[in-house]
Amino acid sequence: MVSLQVSDLILAGMTAAQLRERVDAQIMRRRFEPFARAAFHARHPTKQLKWAWHHGAICEHLEACKLGQIRRLIINVPPRNLKSHLTSVALPAWWWIDKPETQFLAISADEKIVFRDADALRDLCAGQWYQEAFTPAWSFQQEGGGRRQDAKGYYRTSAGGHRISMSIGTKTQGVDADVVIFDDPLDAESAYNDKAALRDHVIHARQKFMPRLNDPETGVIIVIMQRLHELDLAGVLIEEGGWEHLCLPAEMGPERHYTILGDYDHRKEPGELLDPVRMSREFLAAAERSLGPRGFAGQYLQRPAAAKGALIHKAWPQYWTPDTLPPMDYVISSWDLTTGSKTTDADYTVGQVWGACGINRYLLDQIRAKLSTGEMVDAVLACLSRWPAIRATVIEEKAAGPDVADTLREHVPGIETYDPQDKSKEQRLAATVLMWRDGTVFLPDPFACSSMDADFSWVRDDYLPELITFPSSAHDDQVDATSQALLWMRETGPVDVRESVRAIG
């Protein structure tokens, strides 16, 4: 890139206005945020741009994609927050300023939307502002008769780049790209009412579109969407790992999110709004009335919630801290074991440590991992070593449970098996609802308990999302271990309680 000195421009006889335009153009070549803002005005000269800090955070992460700092990016942001302008229109236009050979593939659930953005990108790049500010050395490829190759949302640059636009169900034969952009790959109606469509949208994205990268090592994949279901594309990819996750809920929750670029959220306290001007509390309250709790939780809070029928309300769990944890009457562990498979789609083995003090029940610790049968035995033994106060180890009589229980009985006392008989998972959790509602179930406070030299982030990141969305949650292993512990403690109690212990690990 050629850098022009101010003195050179003055000597060339430029006016002050021309000088500002040239300097602005040089800045926009290097930085995506000022380009995106100027591109909005070029597209909508009569509209007011209401820019907020989180738009800058999105721009910073998209810029990092072009610079090669981020290869896999998920952005969750509420509706009407410039996501299509920034990701599907402005980003390719900015990328093409100095890399017009870049090939883009844009996918959306709605064919009309993805073609709309294709037209907007073409018009932006061919428009007067873009042409005068950046004097691109490329043009859109012309075919016979002067017709552009964009009848179906497909056009090429004379430098070899292209923009191909497709809906999520389109065939992808012969389609390749350097950058794949998923912009709203799932519509809300399918997420809520059509399990087959929900499953298919993930399968199509992962098996049909993601392998289309020209170079899997250097290619970029961007997913920008609201969370609509725990098993939507963003949820599945976050679960798998390896993605930078830019999460921007309309109202800040108890958790903080980080990416490779650091702590990007300007808010400091739970409850702070993302954009008080455009999304005030009154606006959000109206949105919740319109969408319902489920739709609002996904689209605005980026926390996909269960449909009606969820058993445990998020307000019911109580929380303990190191200062409020009482001496325990007894301590047990509860284990939900799997068949021993460690494949990607295998279930988790979950072991939990629970304590009882009077009528109250305290979740003290948890292990959650994909383990082989031998590793399950080792995990139980490690738990007993860490928690010597455990008086009973309760293992469900399913999957590898009976074999693991038999093996453990040869080494340690207090191994108990639990037979759920014909009760479903829902029935078992339902049998504990009164305990939760009455405020007798306590979870570790994930922030206050950090002083115990242990990581309790799993409470907010894994345990609570599964608990309050069950039975619509993506997994149910933590819920099963919890139901088993609470029911066993109520129905059976400890086999041998010799003393009261203080169970803080």
Side-chain angles (χ1 to χ4, degrees):
M1 181 184 300
V2 178
S3 178
L4 297 178
Q5 300 296 323
V6 171
S7 58
D8 296 333
L9 298 174
I10 294 175
L11 290 173
M14 282 194 167
T15 65
Q18 291 172 326
L19 175 59
R20 284 195 300 271
E21 290 176 359
R22 184 64 63 88
V23 172
D24 287 345
Q26 292 297 324
I27 294 173
M28 288 187 287
R29 283 177 179 271
R30 296 191 299 269
R31 296 298 311 279
F32 179 53
E33 180 174 350
F35 175 89
R37 297 178 70 157
F40 180 90
H41 292 299
R43 292 182 59 203
H44 311 288
T46 62
K47 289 185 178 181
Q48 180 184 4
L49 175 60
K50 297 180 180 179
W51 194 265
W53 66 265
H54 65 284
H55 298 119
I58 295 174
C59 289
E60 186 179 11
H61 285 76
L62 294 176
E63 182 177 302
C65 290
K66 181 174 183 285
L67 296 176
Q69 298 169 332
I70 295 177
R71 305 289 187 189
R72 302 290 183 271
L73 175 64
I74 295 170
I75 303 173
N76 296 138
V77 63
R80 311 300 297 173
N81 269 281
L82 299 178
K83 68 178 183 58
S84 292
H85 167 72
L86 295 176
T87 307
S88 298
V89 180
L91 181 66
W94 181 67
W95 210 302
W96 276 343
I97 292 174
D98 60 355
K99 292 186 177 181
E101 71 279 7
T102 306
Q103 299 178 342
F104 290 88
L105 171 59
I107 306 106
S108 178
D110 191 332
E111 183 179 80
K112 292 182 292 184
I113 297 299
V114 75
F115 288 170
R116 176 205 66 187
D117 293 338
D119 288 341
L121 171 60
R122 178 201 62 202
D123 293 343
L124 176 64
C125 292
Q128 180 180 356
W129 170 76
Y130 189 90
Q131 292 294 316
E132 291 182 353
F134 307 107
T135 58
W138 58 271
S139 60
F140 289 116
Q141 185 105 9
Q142 303 287 320
E143 287 191 323
R147 182 174 60 86
R148 290 190 182 94
Q149 282 189 294
D150 58 3
K152 291 295 182 181
Y154 168 47
Y155 44 79
R156 296 182 292 175
T157 71
S158 57
H162 65 224
R163 153 78 182 235
I164 299 177
S165 306
M166 293 182 166
S167 62
I168 195 71
T170 309
K171 294 181 179 179
T172 59
Q173 185 175 2
V175 173
D176 298 296
D178 302 305
V179 182
V180 177
I181 299 172
F182 293 92
D183 185 353
D184 277 345
L186 177 67
D187 65 86
E189 190 69 21
S190 295
Y192 299 152
N193 301 318
D194 190 340
K195 291 184 179 179
L198 174 65
R199 181 189 66 247
D200 289 347
H201 107 103
V202 175
I203 293 174
H204 289 162
R206 296 176 67 195
Q207 297 183 3
K208 293 172 58 178
F209 292 106
M210 290 185 181
R212 306 314 304 180
L213 286 174
N214 290 321
D215 187 338
E217 295 298 321
T218 62
V220 173
I221 303 177
I222 300 167
V223 179
I224 185 165
M225 60 184 295
Q226 290 97 44
R227 295 301 311 278
L228 298 174
H229 193 281
E230 281 207 328
L231 292 177
D232 61 21
L233 179 59
V236 171
L237 297 178
I238 292 168
E239 175 79 16
E240 290 180 355
W243 291 73
E244 297 300 325
H245 182 205
L246 176 59
C247 185
L248 298 165
E251 182 177 320
M252 190 176 184
E255 70 279 3
R256 293 198 70 83
H257 297 277
Y258 302 86
T259 68
I260 192 175
L261 302 184
D263 183 1
Y264 54 81
D265 202 317
H266 289 198
R267 296 169 290 180
K268 301 303 180 185
E269 300 295 334
E272 287 189 53
L273 300 184
L274 181 70
D275 188 347
V277 175
R278 295 185 63 254
M279 292 184 290
S280 65
R281 296 198 185 279
E282 293 75 16
F283 172 87
L284 294 177
E288 184 169 13
R289 289 193 297 270
S290 175
L291 295 171
R294 185 186 184 200
F296 180 79
Q299 295 187 49
Y300 281 88
L301 302 183
Q302 312 313 317
R303 294 178 186 168
K308 60 181 180 180
L311 299 174
I312 307 299
H313 192 279
K314 63 182 180 181
W316 291 347
Q318 305 298 303
Y319 294 91
W320 62 264
T321 69
D323 295 333
T324 62
L325 187 65
M328 297 293 115
D329 298 331
Y330 61 90
V331 180
I332 72 164
S333 66
S334 174
W335 294 84
D336 180 67
L337 305 182
T338 67
T339 58
S341 172
K342 298 177 67 175
T343 60
T344 301
D345 58 350
D347 291 330
Y348 286 91
T349 287
V350 173
Q352 296 173 348
V353 178
W354 285 85
C357 179
I359 64 171
N360 294 331
R361 304 292 180 255
Y362 295 80
L363 176 59
L364 303 173
D365 199 1
Q366 173 173 285
I367 176 176
R368 180 175 183 256
K370 295 181 179 181
L371 305 176
S372 66
T373 302
E375 290 171 333
M376 293 178 200
V377 173
D378 293 340
V380 175
L381 293 174
C383 181
L384 289 168
S385 176
R386 174 172 166 76
W387 294 88
I390 289 176
R391 292 294 179 262
T393 298
V394 185
I395 300 173
E396 185 178 359
E397 288 186 346
K398 287 189 176 181
D403 292 337
V404 170
D406 289 343
T407 300
L408 288 168
R409 285 192 180 99
E410 300 175 5
H411 304 280
V412 293
I415 303 300
E416 300 287 326
T417 55
Y418 184 79
D419 182 6
Q421 300 178 347
D422 295 329
K423 295 180 181 178
S424 67
K425 298 173 184 288
E426 291 87 346
Q427 289 173 321
R428 280 176 270 166
L429 185 62
T432 71
V433 162
L434 289 180
M435 302 171 69
W436 292 95
R437 194 183 66 184
D438 291 345
T440 63
V441 182
F442 290 74
L443 309 177
D445 183 317
F447 297 103
C449 292
S450 60
S451 62
M452 295 173 59
D453 194 26
D455 182 6
F456 284 90
S457 61
W458 54 268
V459 177
R460 68 171 188 266
D461 294 340
D462 299 320
Y463 184 84
L464 275 174
E466 180 177 310
L467 178 70
I468 65 176
T469 60
F470 182 85
S472 298
S473 51
H475 300 282
D476 53 27
D477 318 283
Q478 297 171 102
V479 168
D480 283 352
T482 294
S483 300
Q484 177 174 274
L486 296 177
L487 293 176
W488 190 89
M489 295 167 87
R490 187 176 69 187
E491 298 168 2
T492 305
V495 176
D496 181 16
V497 180
R498 295 192 175 95
E499 59 182 339
S500 177
V501 296
R502 185 170 184 80
I504 60 173

